[in-house]
């Protein structure tokens, strides 16, 4: 790009953009003189100068051309010396730094990545450029929102050789969908188009580039995470942002820190120590209501998936003051991250993790790699494995909350948000026995989180164990007022205090294995309930999940919260016909958010029937949706 260029009226017009409603700002008024302004007229847009400013600086240091009048476009560069001069200096500096730094984080030619339901994930060797660019994007998001933004380097339950990234919005929630699109665009811009892609975001979002930016960065225990998180920090620095590197933290901990920071610590202290104190103090207060708990009842076996959750659980133990005795396995000292262990392995394989000896009736739980999922499991007296997944967790929490609301005399609406993957038996129990509202949402925590916000209390869990509980501001205020009311009877007071501490033990920003574990353990202790009694609330219908590789996952389109396929033609009709062949059966398919895969779910009266139905549906998907490789083979 040349450092000097001649400016004509047509060139100036080409870099000007209309402002909404034709309203001109002060600087634009200066540039346009006394020219009449009408709706739709093109005005000078500083955001569009992001790339062009490099060509202007020579003019800024020379006098205006002789004989120029107030409306002469050759005066435009000199007008920047006024209200836009500092903006020019800032953007010029940042522009040069981004160009310099991006060359150190080059994008592999032709590589295409997509920000899916859980962020970016792929082999760690392909991610250096993406991490740098997401540092840039997080800085822009911070400038736009005037708040701290989070970037978590993790690939959750993926194999150790993978890595990925999740962006965290100001209240600790997942980044807004519009910015997911920006993330994908920026990730896939070729090296020479990076600055133009940045300019496009700045312009569309009308970002004030002189606004201060703050970004929190965290990482999991993968060997690749250290260098990749440094690339994020480089990106933040290149656009003049401020960063705080939290180092090794769980994904939910980083979400928590961002929320604390942006609420001026009203939600809690934005430190790992503050996180431990808040959750553990609430847990201890809750368990004071448990009568005659023995050491055996306080004991819990935890599978840490050889990940960050194990490391942080060790750090937290001292804060529990002996109220929970944890035996930690797969703690990362020997095994490989997520290999034959962790919540995803246990849920999908429906068997215990390796490295744990399960005594009959003993409570065990498994975290996933970044500790945002949890499932419980145990072996019965005959050695048979039993899984208590996100559906069972949501049911237990709902029972507890509904009882407390009744005892407290609080009229608050409670609902459970599930996905199509929720076991049919859980939905029937919640609606028919517990009499609570059930909503079905699209797969992906962001969708469940949004749906749960519609209620006073929204309990949301995916069957994979990712979930939490949301309390509306009004609900929290009612609970607090009741807990502080000195005129109510003992039963209402006790229930109100239990609800207050329940709110505090929960990480409402996102699913959190540590927080969920403490809540579940407190509920079981208070109710004097064994894991077998919890499991016996209802019996899961046998189910099976399979994957079918396809040439293009976009061939599959769904509706009704992903429970019905609308394309390709004939697929849903074929599934309906197959389902009729089995008792108490249902099945659905949905495309993966990140890979060219179609996920198949089936449940039926017996495991044999569920397996057969899943295979039948997989064949239909393979044949109608462009399957690749060999046809799916029967499971038996």
């Amino acid at each position: 790009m040349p450092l000097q260029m001649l400016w004509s009226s047509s060139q100036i017009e080409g870099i000007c953009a209309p402002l909404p409603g034709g309203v001109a700002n002060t600087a634009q008024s200066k540039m346009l003189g006394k020219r009449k302004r009408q709706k739709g007229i093109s005005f000078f847009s500083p955001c569009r100068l992001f790339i062009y400013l490099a060509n202007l600086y020579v003019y800024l240091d020379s006098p205006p051309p002789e004989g120029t009048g107030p409306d002469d476009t050759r005066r435009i560069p000199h007008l920047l010396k006024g209200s836009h001069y500092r903006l020019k200096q800032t953007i010029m500096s940042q522009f040069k730094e981004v160009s310099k730094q991006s060359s150190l984080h080059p994008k592999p030619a032709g590589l295409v990545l997509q920000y899916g339901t859980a962020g970016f994930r792929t082999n760690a060797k392909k991610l250096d450029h993406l991490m740098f660019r997401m540092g840039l994007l997080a800085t822009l998001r911070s400038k736009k929102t005037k708040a701290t933004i989070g970037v978590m380097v993790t690939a959750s339950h993926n194999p150790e050789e993978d890595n990925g990234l999740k962006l965290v919005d100001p209240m600790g929630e997942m980044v807004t969908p519009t910015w997911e699109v920006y993330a994908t665009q920026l990730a896939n811009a070729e090296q020479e188009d990076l600055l133009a892609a940045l300019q496009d975001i700045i312009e569309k979002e009308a970002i004030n580039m002189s606004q201060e930016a703050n970004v929190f960065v965290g990482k999991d225990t993968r060997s690749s995470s250290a260098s990749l998180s440094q690339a994020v920090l480089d990106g933040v620095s290149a656009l003049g942002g401020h960063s705080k590197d939290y180092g090794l933290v769980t994904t939910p901990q980083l979400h928590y820190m961002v929320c604390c920071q942006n609420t001026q610590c009203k939600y809690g202290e934005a430190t790992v120590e503050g996180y431990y104190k808040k959750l553990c103090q609430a847990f201890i207060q809750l368990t004071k209501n448990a009568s005659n708990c023995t050491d055996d009842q306080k004991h819990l076996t935890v599978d840490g998936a050889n990940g960050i959750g194990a490391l942080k659980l060790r750090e937290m133990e001292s804060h529990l003051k002996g109220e929970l005795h944890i035996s930690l396995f797969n703690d990362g000292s020997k095994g490989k991250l997520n290999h034959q262990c962790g919540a995803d392995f246990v849920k999908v394989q429906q068997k215990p993790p390796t490295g744990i000896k399960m005594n009959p009736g003993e409570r065990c739980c498994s975290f996933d790699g970044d500790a945002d999922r949890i499932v419980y499991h145990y072996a019965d007296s005959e050695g048979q494995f039993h899984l208590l997944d996100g559906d069972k967790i949501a049911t237990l929490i709902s029972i507890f909350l509904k009882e407390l609301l009744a005892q407290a005399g609080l009229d608050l609406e409670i609902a459970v948000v599930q996905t199509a993957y929720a076991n049919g038996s859980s939905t029937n129990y919640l609606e028919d026995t517990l009499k609570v509202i059930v909503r079905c949402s699209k797969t992906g925590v962001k969708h469940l989180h949004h749906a749960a916000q519609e209620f006073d209390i929204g309990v949301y869990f995916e069957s994979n164990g990712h979930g939490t509980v949301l309390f509306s501001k009004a609900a929290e205020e009612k609970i607090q007022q009741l807990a502080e009311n000195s005129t109510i009877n003992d039963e209402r007071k006790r229930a109100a205090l239990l609800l207050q501490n329940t709110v505090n033990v929960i990480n409402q920003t996102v699913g959190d294995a540590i927080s969920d574990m403490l809540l579940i353990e407190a509920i079981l202790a208070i109710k004097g309930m064994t894991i077998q009694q919890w499991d016996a609330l209802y019996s899961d219908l046998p189910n099976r999940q399979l994957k079918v590789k396809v040439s293009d996952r976009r061939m599959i389109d769904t509706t009704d919260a992903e429970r019905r396929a609308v394309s390709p033609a004939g697929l849903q009709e074929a599934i309906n016909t197959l389902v009729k062949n089995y008792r108490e059966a249902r099945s659905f398919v949905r495309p993966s958010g990140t890979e060219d895969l179609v996920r198949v779910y089936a449940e039926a009266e017996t495991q044999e029937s569920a397996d057969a139905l899943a295979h039948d549906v997989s064949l239909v998907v393979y044949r109608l949706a462009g399957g690749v490789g060999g046809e799916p083979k029967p499971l038996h």
Side-chain angles (χ1 to χ4, degrees):
M1 187 181 295
L3 291 178
Q4 294 189 15
M5 59 191 297
L6 294 176
W7 292 86
S8 66
S9 296
S10 60
Q11 286 173 314
I12 294 296
E13 185 70 10
I15 64 167
C16 291
L19 291 178
V23 180
N25 61 27
T26 303
Q28 290 165 339
S29 297
K30 289 181 182 178
M31 283 179 275
L32 293 167
K34 297 179 180 179
R35 183 174 161 185
K36 290 184 178 180
R37 296 163 183 82
Q38 298 175 344
K39 189 173 182 179
I41 196 169
S42 288
F43 290 124
F44 198 91
S45 171
C47 288
R48 297 199 68 174
L49 288 178
F50 185 71
I51 291 178
Y52 299 98
L53 278 172
N55 299 287
L56 298 180
Y57 81 91
V58 171
Y59 291 96
L60 290 170
D61 296 321
S62 61
E66 291 184 12
T68 56
D71 292 330
D72 196 312
T73 56
R74 287 175 292 170
R75 291 185 61 86
I76 287 177
H78 301 277
L79 293 171
L80 289 173
K81 280 190 173 181
S83 61
H84 291 167
Y85 183 71
R86 281 177 295 180
L87 175 65
K88 170 261 172 188
Q89 294 286 71
T90 301
I91 297 179
M92 274 293 297
S93 173
Q94 293 169 357
F95 180 88
K96 291 178 181 178
E97 189 63 22
V98 169
S99 296
K100 175 184 173 183
Q101 290 288 333
S102 65
S103 66
L104 303 177
H105 302 279
K107 174 186 177 293
L111 178 65
V112 176
L113 300 168
Q114 182 175 346
Y115 197 101
T117 54
F120 289 109
R121 289 184 198 172
T122 191
N123 186 280
K125 294 178 181 178
K126 301 177 180 179
L127 287 173
D128 179 71
H129 78 288
L130 178 131
M131 297 293 170
F132 173 74
R133 295 176 180 201
M134 291 308 103
L136 299 175
L137 187 69
T139 306
L140 294 183
R141 181 66 177 155
S142 178
K143 289 175 182 287
K144 171 67 178 179
T145 60
K146 300 179 182 179
T148 298
I149 297 299
V151 180
M152 183 67 196
V153 177
T154 181
S156 189
H157 57 274
N158 277 37
E160 190 167 6
E161 56 269 21
D162 287 352
N163 217 320
L165 176 144
K166 299 176 183 179
L167 294 168
V168 183
D169 253 2
M171 288 299 102
E173 73 275 40
M174 302 289 189
V175 72
T176 187
T178 302
W179 283 71
E180 289 183 5
V181 176
Y182 294 154
T184 299
Q185 291 172 350
L186 203 59
N188 294 323
E190 294 303 331
Q191 199 70 14
E192 63 272 18
D193 300 324
L194 175 60
L195 297 174
L198 278 174
Q199 180 213 5
D200 185 54
I201 297 168
I202 293 167
E203 180 182 321
K204 284 179 178 176
E205 294 294 326
I207 295 170
N208 176 6
M209 292 303 290
S210 63
Q211 173 67 42
E212 191 173 85
N214 293 284
V215 179
F216 285 177
V217 181
K219 62 177 180 282
D220 70 9
T221 54
R222 296 166 198 268
S223 58
S224 60
S225 291
S227 62
L228 293 178
S229 65
Q230 183 56 54
V232 174
L233 296 169
D234 290 347
V236 175
S237 175
L239 274 181
H242 304 289
S243 61
K244 181 169 183 177
D245 185 2
Y246 276 90
L248 294 169
V249 288
T250 69
T251 295
Q253 284 177 336
L254 189 74
H255 283 255
Y256 177 90
M257 306 305 170
V258 171
C259 182
C260 290
Q261 181 70 15
N262 289 318
T263 56
Q264 290 73 52
C265 295
K266 290 177 183 176
Y267 191 64
E269 184 185 327
T271 65
V272 174
E273 187 72 9
Y275 168 92
Y276 295 146
K277 285 180 179 178
K278 180 183 177 182
L279 270 61
C280 291
Q281 285 173 6
F283 173 76
I284 291 168
Q285 289 300 313
L286 283 170
T287 54
K288 283 181 179 178
N289 291 270
S291 57
N292 305 319
C293 263
T294 65
D295 285 348
D296 283 346
Q297 290 169 324
K298 291 181 179 181
H299 181 258
L300 175 67
T301 298
V302 178
D303 159 29
N306 291 313
I308 185 64
L311 188 68
K312 295 301 167 179
L313 199 55
R314 279 272 186 252
E315 288 181 4
M316 190 184 76
E317 271 190 288
S318 62
H319 293 276
L320 291 169
K321 301 186 184 304
E323 291 303 313
L324 183 62
H325 304 155
I326 295 171
S327 294
L328 183 58
F329 293 85
N330 297 322
D331 63 357
S333 59
K334 294 183 292 186
K336 193 176 179 182
L337 177 68
N338 294 322
H339 181 63
Q340 296 188 337
C341 61
D344 190 62
F345 172 84
V346 172
K347 168 65 177 173
V348 173
Q349 300 298 323
Q350 299 191 28
K351 64 182 182 181
T354 57
I356 291 183
K357 182 182 178 182
M358 296 175 65
N359 298 317
E362 189 173 83
R363 288 193 316 283
C364 300
C365 70
S366 291
F367 295 176
D368 72 334
D370 65 340
D372 63 2
R373 295 186 188 183
I374 185 172
V375 295
Y376 270 70
H377 44 93
Y378 72 98
D380 62 24
S381 57
E382 296 178 357
Q384 185 176 348
F385 175 77
H386 293 257
L387 174 70
L388 292 85
D389 61 8
D391 300 336
K392 280 272 169 76
I393 293 170
T395 302
L396 178 69
I397 294 171
S398 300
I399 291 171
F400 181 65
L401 290 174
K402 190 174 182 189
E403 289 174 351
L404 289 183
L405 290 174
Q407 292 165 14
L410 284 171
D411 184 21
L412 296 174
E413 188 177 53
I414 182 171
V416 177
V417 182
Q418 300 181 322
T419 70
Y421 286 104
N423 195 276
S425 291
S426 73
T427 308
N428 294 338
Y429 180 86
L430 289 164
E431 291 182 328
D432 301 337
T433 303
L434 200 55
K435 306 294 184 185
V436 299
I437 300 166
V438 177
R439 289 284 183 271
C440 189
S441 160
K442 286 178 65 176
T443 302
V445 175
K446 62 185 178 184
H447 301 300
L448 284 90
H449 191 96
H450 180 74
Q453 289 176 321
E454 298 176 12
F455 303 93
D456 293 324
I457 302 174
V459 181
Y460 75 81
F461 273 84
E462 292 185 296
S463 60
N464 62 26
H466 193 159
T468 188
V469 184
L470 303 184
F471 293 83
S472 69
K473 186 177 180 181
E476 286 193 16
E477 287 174 354
K478 286 182 179 181
I479 290 168
Q480 185 174 343
Q481 288 169 6
L482 192 63
E484 294 172 355
N485 190 333
S486 59
T487 65
I488 57 176
N489 63 40
D490 290 347
E491 182 186 26
R492 293 188 70 195
K493 185 76 169 180
R494 175 182 179 273
L497 289 171
L498 281 169
L499 282 167
Q500 190 177 51
N501 284 302
T502 299
V503 170
N504 288 332
V505 84
I506 292 168
N507 182 352
Q508 295 187 54
T509 64
V510 74
D512 184 340
I514 292 175
S515 166
D516 292 339
M517 177 195 76
L518 293 176
L519 177 59
I520 292 163
E521 290 300 307
I523 293 172
L524 294 177
I526 292 166
K527 294 181 67 64
M529 182 183 279
T530 65
I531 193 168
Q532 294 94 328
Q533 290 170 326
W534 173 20
D535 189 30
L537 290 173
Y538 63 83
S539 297
D540 280 326
L541 283 166
N543 57 86
R544 180 64 64 191
Q545 296 182 43
L546 298 175
K547 301 175 185 177
V548 181
K549 289 186 178 182
V550 293
S551 56
D552 185 356
R553 65 183 182 275
R554 292 172 294 183
M555 284 190 66
I556 299 279
D557 192 18
T558 64
T559 187
D560 189 21
E562 302 177 314
R563 290 177 288 190
R564 293 180 60 251
V566 294
S567 67
L571 178 58
Q572 187 59 50
E573 290 76 9
I575 294 172
N576 294 343
T577 300
L578 292 170
V579 166
K580 291 177 183 177
N581 297 331
Y582 303 93
R583 291 171 57 88
E584 295 187 56
R586 70 181 182 101
S587 181
F588 67 90
V589 301
R590 55 176 288 272
S592 165
T594 54
E595 306 169 84
D596 282 324
L597 294 172
V598 176
R599 303 187 188 279
V600 175
Y601 178 88
E603 65 183 32
E605 186 180 42
T606 66
Q607 189 63 58
E608 184 180 5
S609 294
D611 291 348
L613 176 57
H615 175 253
D616 292 345
V617 173
S618 295
L619 282 174
V620 170
V621 170
Y622 180 88
R623 291 164 183 169
L624 296 182
V628 298
E631 282 196 345
K633 296 181 180 179
L635 295 172
H636 303 291

